[in-house]
Amino acid sequence: MLQVCLNGARGPREHHHLPVQPPDLAKAAADSVTAGAADIHLHPKTPDGTDSLDPATVAAAVNAVRAAAPGTPVGITTGTWTAPDTESRLTAIGNWTILPDHASVNWHEQGAEEIALALMERGIGVEAGIHSGTNAEDDFARWAQRGRVLRVLARVTDPTPNGAASTATTLLERIDPGNLPILLHGRGVGAWSVHGLAKRRGLHTRIGFEDTFTLPGGDIAEDNAALVTEAVRAPPHT
């Protein structure tokens, strides 16, 4: 499965086609699904580009993307930067009127288990984010409810092409997913070597403006769909 990550914790000044508002997210999602994405991850944002879990902001983003890409699962972030504290995030999740299909929870962040349980109580799938270099895999392995999550989201934080592949291999060796599927992805220029490793191992993966702006050859991608197109046709050895 190839997921597209449409924007991430980025601002609109970082790329002229970074989708921020619901209509832009909708177009980016539709184009990316047409290009081959089977799942969508996005960060709902306020008009100035700030990530937010505000119920109205989440509803507007999810509704717009669902209308543009019907039948494609839509997920969002729950990162600590989206709200002042854990309690604020829990309150926001409890007040959502439109529910995403899934949401990512970074396991190295404070309140991860509480956030995950709150999502599951509302019927929202959890992507358990395990970042390289954080030892979050150890905490996740000890969590009694880990078998209930949707998948493990293994993120390689090394942005270099050679280092990222090595870091990804080490991270996969450290994660004990049980029967859970793994979505492996990287960032920066290193996103493509990690993508190739995920393909070789038959793992889920993702690409999009959250992870990288660059194509395998180093050129800046015009939009998310261009990255998805390249990811679909890229050989596993990339």
Side-chain angles (χ1 to χ4, degrees):
M1 182 271 287
L2 176 63
Q3 181 185 84
V4 62
C5 48
L6 295 176
N7 50 13
R10 297 183 182 269
R13 293 183 179 180
E14 296 184 60
H15 193 288
H16 63 292
H17 277 164
L18 184 85
V20 173
Q21 296 309 303
D24 302 321
L25 287 166
K27 181 177 180 353
D31 291 347
S32 296
V33 169
T34 298
D39 193 279
I40 299 163
H41 173 79
L42 61 90
H43 291 206
K45 295 178 181 290
T46 58
D48 67 355
T50 301
D51 288 4
S52 175
L53 298 184
D54 169 72
T57 303
V58 170
V62 173
N63 276 337
V65 169
R66 280 202 177 124
T72 305
V74 179
I76 68 172
T77 184
T78 63
T80 54
W81 63 89
T82 59
D85 50 42
T86 300
E87 193 59 39
S88 298
R89 286 188 291 157
L90 291 170
T91 299
I93 291 168
N95 289 333
W96 286 347
T97 56
I98 300 297
L99 305 182
D101 296 288
H102 53 76
S104 61
V105 180
N106 295 325
W107 225 258
H108 64 281
E109 294 179 348
Q110 185 175 4
E113 294 181 5
E114 295 172 82
I115 297 297
L117 287 173
L119 292 168
M120 291 191 293
E121 285 172 3
R122 300 215 64 190
I124 300 167
V126 171
E127 293 181 310
I130 309 297
H131 291 208
S132 62
T134 65
N135 294 319
E137 65 274 8
D138 295 333
D139 291 333
F140 182 67
R142 289 190 290 266
W143 190 45
Q145 303 293 323
R146 67 178 184 145
R148 297 176 59 196
V149 309
L150 177 65
R151 56 180 159 253
V152 172
L153 190 65
R155 179 180 176 87
V156 177
T157 57
D158 186 335
T160 63
N162 293 331
S166 176
T167 301
T169 299
T170 300
L171 179 61
L172 291 174
E173 290 172 350
R174 291 180 58 88
I175 293 174
D176 178 11
N179 294 322
L180 299 171
I182 293 178
L183 189 158
L184 177 68
H185 70 105
R187 61 183 288 264
V189 179
W192 292 106
S193 59
V194 175
H195 174 75
L197 178 62
K199 273 193 166 183
R200 290 195 299 274
R201 296 204 176 189
L203 303 175
H204 298 319
T205 188
R206 80 178 199 184
I207 202 71
F209 278 171
E210 174 171 354
D211 290 346
T212 187
F213 289 137
T214 59
L215 297 165
D219 292 336
I220 300 298
E222 178 67 14
D223 54 21
N224 280 285
L227 291 171
V228 171
T229 297
E230 201 63 42
V232 168
R233 70 187 181 192
H237 64 265
T238 297

